[in-house]
């Protein structure tokens, strides 16, 4: 599919598979826990003073003389920090659509308040990045090597010389782990994690998780398939490496799994099917990759797709394979799937 490159297997597993996202990390943060504030979206770390440090999910500890204000982050990370009241200065990754509106991966981020360094995956203008005088770069990582997500391979060394980096792992773990790590990171940057908006969002997430668990338990026969569409292929994602799918599966959701042989060819991420074989795996609900790099269900013209029982029954919903790692943004993912299962008919 578009943007899938064999030379970058991790990205292929995520962008090409659409459902193959890995899951966040659980290493402990080490930072200054005193005098936390923020929460307005007007700046980072405005209520903290003194040295700042954070141990990321690569085991790397970044130490600065003060809480960083000149933060550059991947779009989804910036969106998560925004939800906690921490504003970044620059972003890279899918941020705005062709009409200038926020991309789905930008969440509620005020795109007019950030400098855009690259509006697609793997694009980061080094000169513009340097002009921001960055103090720290924050992104995710989707592999055990700690590769910085969306930082261009050809310029990673130049980028590394300009500022230290922090990586939140989203590889092979459940959604709750990177959510906690992003919480800890935001707190270290001065966010007020006791603010009502923040605590209410976390409580809503826990309520939604309980709802999804109950829905899955009540209808264990409902099979859910995670898919993604390109012009030539349909991708069926496995659950074992995907941050959201691993968590949903742990809550009891009955997922369709691609064959093991097929997943081996893609490092365990997914199976690619021709549109003629899109009906290989019967499913009652299909959750489809919502990113701009993929074809959305309403725009799929293949007749074989339109004949799928789940499609004919209207049991297709959106999925965010790269979730914005705030409780506010992850709660709808749980509620939407729970509602789909609650209302689903056995059709596959």
């Amino acid at each position: 599919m578009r943007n899938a490159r064999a030379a970058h297997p991790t990205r292929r597993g995520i962008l090409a598979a659409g459902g193959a996202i890995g899951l966040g990390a659980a290493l402990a943060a080490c930072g200054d826990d005193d005098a936390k504030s923020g929460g307005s979206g007007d700046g980072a770390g405005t209520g903290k003073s003194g040295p700042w440090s954070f141990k990321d999910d690569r085991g790397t500890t970044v130490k600065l003389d003060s809480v960083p204000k000149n933060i550059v982050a991947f779009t989804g990370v910036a969106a998560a920090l925004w939800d906690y009241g921490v504003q970044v200065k620059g972003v890279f990754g899918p941020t705005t659509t062709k009409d200038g509106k926020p991309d789905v991966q930008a969440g509620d981020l005020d795109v007019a308040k950030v400098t855009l360094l690259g509006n697609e995956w793997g694009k980061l203008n080094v000169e513009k990045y340097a002009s921001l005088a960055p103090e720290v770069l924050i992104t995710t990582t989707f592999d055990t090597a700690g590769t910085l997500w969306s930082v261009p391979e050809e310029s990673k060394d130049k980028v590394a010389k300009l500022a230290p980096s922090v990586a939140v792992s989203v590889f092979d773990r459940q959604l709750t782990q990177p959510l906690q790590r992003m919480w800890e990171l935001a707190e270290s940057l001065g966010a007020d994690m006791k603010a009502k908006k923040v605590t209410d969002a976390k409580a809503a997430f826990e309520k939604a998780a309980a709802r999804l668990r109950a829905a899955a338990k009540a209808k264990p026969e409902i099979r859910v398939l995670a898919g993604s569409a390109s012009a030539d292929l349909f991708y069926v994602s496995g659950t074992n490496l995907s941050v959201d799918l691993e968590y949903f599966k742990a809550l009891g959701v009955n997922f369709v799994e691609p064959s093991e042989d097929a997943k081996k060819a893609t490092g365990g991420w997914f199976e690619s099917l021709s549109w003629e074989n899109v009906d290989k795996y019967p499913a009652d609900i299909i959750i489809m990759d919502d990113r701009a790099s993929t074809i959305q269900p309403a725009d799929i013209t293949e007749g074989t797709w339109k004949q799928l029982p789940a499609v004919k029954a209207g049991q297709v919903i959106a999925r965010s394979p790269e979730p914005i790692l705030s409780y506010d943004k992850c709660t709808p993912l749980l509620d939407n799937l729970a509602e789909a299962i609650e209302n689903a008919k056995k059709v596959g």
Side-chain angles (χ1 to χ4, degrees), residues 200-218:
D200 283 355
K202 189 172 185 180
F205 177 87
E206 293 168 351
K207 182 179 179 181
R211 178 186 179 185
L212 179 54
R213 186 189 298 276
K217 185 177 181 180

Side-chain angles (χ1 to χ4, degrees), residues 31-37 45 47-52 67 187-191:
D32 182 358
D33 290 327
D34 298 328
K36 300 183 176 62
S37 70
K48 295 187 67 176
S49 61
W52 178 83
V67 176
E187 186 174 36
S188 80
L189 292 169

Side-chain angles (χ1 to χ4, degrees), residues 79-81 83-84 174-184 193 197-209 247 323-335:
L81 292 175
D83 284 350
Y84 291 129
Q174 293 183 25
L175 180 60
T176 47
Q177 292 174 277
L179 276 172
Q180 178 60 29
R181 291 298 281 140
M182 193 62 70
W183 175 288
E184 293 164 358
M193 309 314 284
K197 177 182 177 181
V198 173
T199 57
D200 283 355
K202 189 172 185 180
F205 177 87
E206 293 168 351
K207 182 179 179 181
Y247 184 52
I324 295 171
L325 297 173
S326 72
Y327 289 103
D328 181 69
K329 295 300 179 292
C330 286
T331 296
L333 309 183
L334 296 166
D335 276 330

Side-chain angles (χ1 to χ4, degrees), residues 17 25 31 42 51 53 62 77 81 90 105 159 196 206 245 277 289 309 311 321 333 338 347:
D42 295 328
S53 69
V62 176
V77 171
L81 292 175
Q105 291 185 254
V159 170
K196 187 175 187 302
E206 293 168 351
L245 302 185
N277 296 316
D289 188 341
V311 176
L333 309 183
V347 296

Side-chain angles (χ1 to χ4, degrees), residues 20-138:
I21 294 207
L23 302 167
L27 297 179
C30 68
D32 182 358
D33 290 327
D34 298 328
K36 300 183 176 62
S37 70
S40 66
D42 295 328
T46 54
K48 295 187 67 176
S49 61
W52 178 83
S53 69
F54 189 83
K55 185 176 182 181
D56 77 357
D57 294 339
R58 301 168 298 177
T60 299
T61 299
V62 176
K63 296 181 179 181
L64 299 174
D65 292 337
S66 61
V67 176
K69 292 183 173 60
N70 287 0
I71 301 170
V72 171
F74 178 70
T75 303
V77 171
L81 292 175
W82 175 273
D83 284 350
Y84 291 129
V86 178
Q87 184 175 322
V88 309
K89 194 168 185 179
V91 297
F92 57 100
T95 305
T96 59
T97 58
K98 292 180 180 179
D99 58 4
K101 295 180 180 180
D103 184 90
V104 65
Q105 291 185 254
D108 293 331
L109 181 68
D110 188 341
V111 296
K113 289 187 176 182
V114 295
T115 299
L116 185 54
L117 305 176
N119 198 24
E120 60 182 280
W121 188 93
K123 299 294 183 182
L124 197 165
N125 186 306
V126 178
E127 289 73 23
K128 189 180 288 188
Y129 176 59
S131 73
L132 296 180
E135 294 173 88
V136 65
L137 179 148
I138 308 174

Side-chain angles (χ1 to χ4, degrees), residues 152-164:
E153 180 70 21
E154 64 273 14
S155 57
K156 66 178 182 180
D157 293 337
K158 293 180 181 179
V159 170
K161 291 178 181 178
L162 293 169

